[in-house]
Amino acid sequence: MLLSSNMIKIHDTFGMKESFDVYAQVGMQGMDFNTDVAEYYTDEHDKQFYYDLRDYARSKGITICQAHAPFPSSYVEEDKTEKRFYEIVQGMKNASYLGAPMIVVHACSHLDYSVEGNAEKLYRFNLDFYRRLIPYAREIGIKIAIENAGRVTADPEILCKLYDELNDPVFTICFDVGHCLLYGYDPSESIKMLGDRLVNGCTHIHDNFGDADSHTLPYYGAVNWDEVMKALADIDYKGDLNYEASGFLKRLPKELYLDGFAYMAKVGHYLIGRFEYYKNNK
């Protein structure tokens, strides 16, 4: 299991190539590349730009282990939704040039979920949305990870249903621990429910107290991390431990970002140690 992190705050503070130096310095092994940053979901940069980044990352021992598509995935306005669809496709292409095996694509959530009938409408809309992405994913050669983000897929039962109904090998699951807690679901029980669907997927690791999407470091919220790592070990999870915890850095002055990121890496490696313990002591 590699320890990785999204690049928000580090990228903004140190620069793109320099971020890989920082990752290597603190003990991160992988990067979740944020193609949700505007310049990376357009054609602003050519293929060679991404190939050069990929090669530089590898020279530093850093793997681009996943990516994140632009979001939200849909809007009330149809023209904006259509434009966003092709921005997601461009993000998929750019991520593939980096060597990312998968990209997280949020479910569409542009309708008011509290209005009667909209839950079913959104579910059907998402089936069509993800199905439309299938030929692009096949051509590009990248998997689409469906995240438990937004009201449609926050419920692990609905996420399982959507994944099973799509029934295509281009899809996998991104399990966001913080979002799970935020929407009132138990993370460890949700992991067990997802089971084999998550085994070859990915994670967003962050914490909160269930009242705000804090995106802070594990142990700085209410998640029971020992139970989470045990649940991942129990389902034989084969993916990486990937941080989406930039909220922790946001609370620090920029002069302490490097020290804070090193501490994040230390906590991450501890969590991986707990995963290995439970994996070897089932």
Side-chain angles (χ1 to χ4, degrees), residues 10 38 45 56 137 161 250:
I10 298 300
H45 304 294
Y56 188 78
K161 179 185 176 184
K250 287 178 183 178

Side-chain angles (χ1 to χ4, degrees), residues 143-266:
K143 281 182 171 288
I144 296 168
I146 306 172
E147 182 180 352
N148 55 324
R151 294 298 300 272
V152 182
T153 53
D155 184 334
E157 288 189 14
I158 301 299
L159 181 55
C160 289
K161 179 185 176 184
L162 180 66
Y163 176 88
D164 292 347
E165 194 165 351
L166 287 167
N167 190 31
D168 193 287
V170 303
F171 295 109
T172 188
I173 297 293
C174 171
F175 183 69
D176 188 301
V177 179
H179 289 167
C180 189
L181 185 70
L182 187 65
Y183 282 97
Y185 299 98
D186 181 86
S188 58
E189 291 303 315
S190 297
I191 289 168
K192 294 171 189 175
M193 186 182 299
L194 289 165
D196 289 345
R197 303 171 185 86
L198 176 60
V199 166
N200 294 302
C202 60
T203 54
H204 284 168
I205 300 295
H206 59 101
D207 212 333
N208 60 63
F209 283 103
D211 56 352
D213 198 12
S214 309
H215 282 267
T216 194
L217 191 63
Y219 302 108
Y220 284 75
V223 173
N224 186 321
W225 288 99
D226 226 45
E227 288 186 1
V228 167
M229 302 319 294
K230 184 177 186 301
L232 289 171
D234 285 346
I235 68 166
D236 198 25
Y237 175 67
K238 301 184 187 305
D240 301 316
L241 189 79
N242 177 72
Y243 274 137
E244 204 178 53
S246 58
F248 177 75
L249 291 179
K250 287 178 183 178
R251 298 182 66 85
L252 300 175
K254 289 184 178 180
E255 293 82 1
L256 292 179
Y257 276 9
L258 193 58
D259 293 323
F261 202 43
Y263 176 58
M264 288 173 66
K266 187 170 185 178

Side-chain angles (χ1 to χ4, degrees), residues 100-145:
M102 65 186 75
I103 184 167
V104 176
V105 179
H106 283 200
C108 301
S109 56
H110 57 285
L111 300 179
D112 184 349
Y113 214 69
S114 65
V115 174
E116 186 177 355
N118 275 357
E120 180 60 25
K121 285 180 182 178
L122 272 176
Y123 181 82
R124 306 310 303 181
F125 189 96
N126 275 287
L127 274 176
D128 292 340
F129 166 73
Y130 283 115
R131 283 170 176 160
R132 189 180 173 196
L133 284 173
I134 290 173
Y136 294 98
R138 287 178 178 162
E139 181 182 355
I140 293 166
I142 195 167
K143 281 182 171 288
I144 296 168

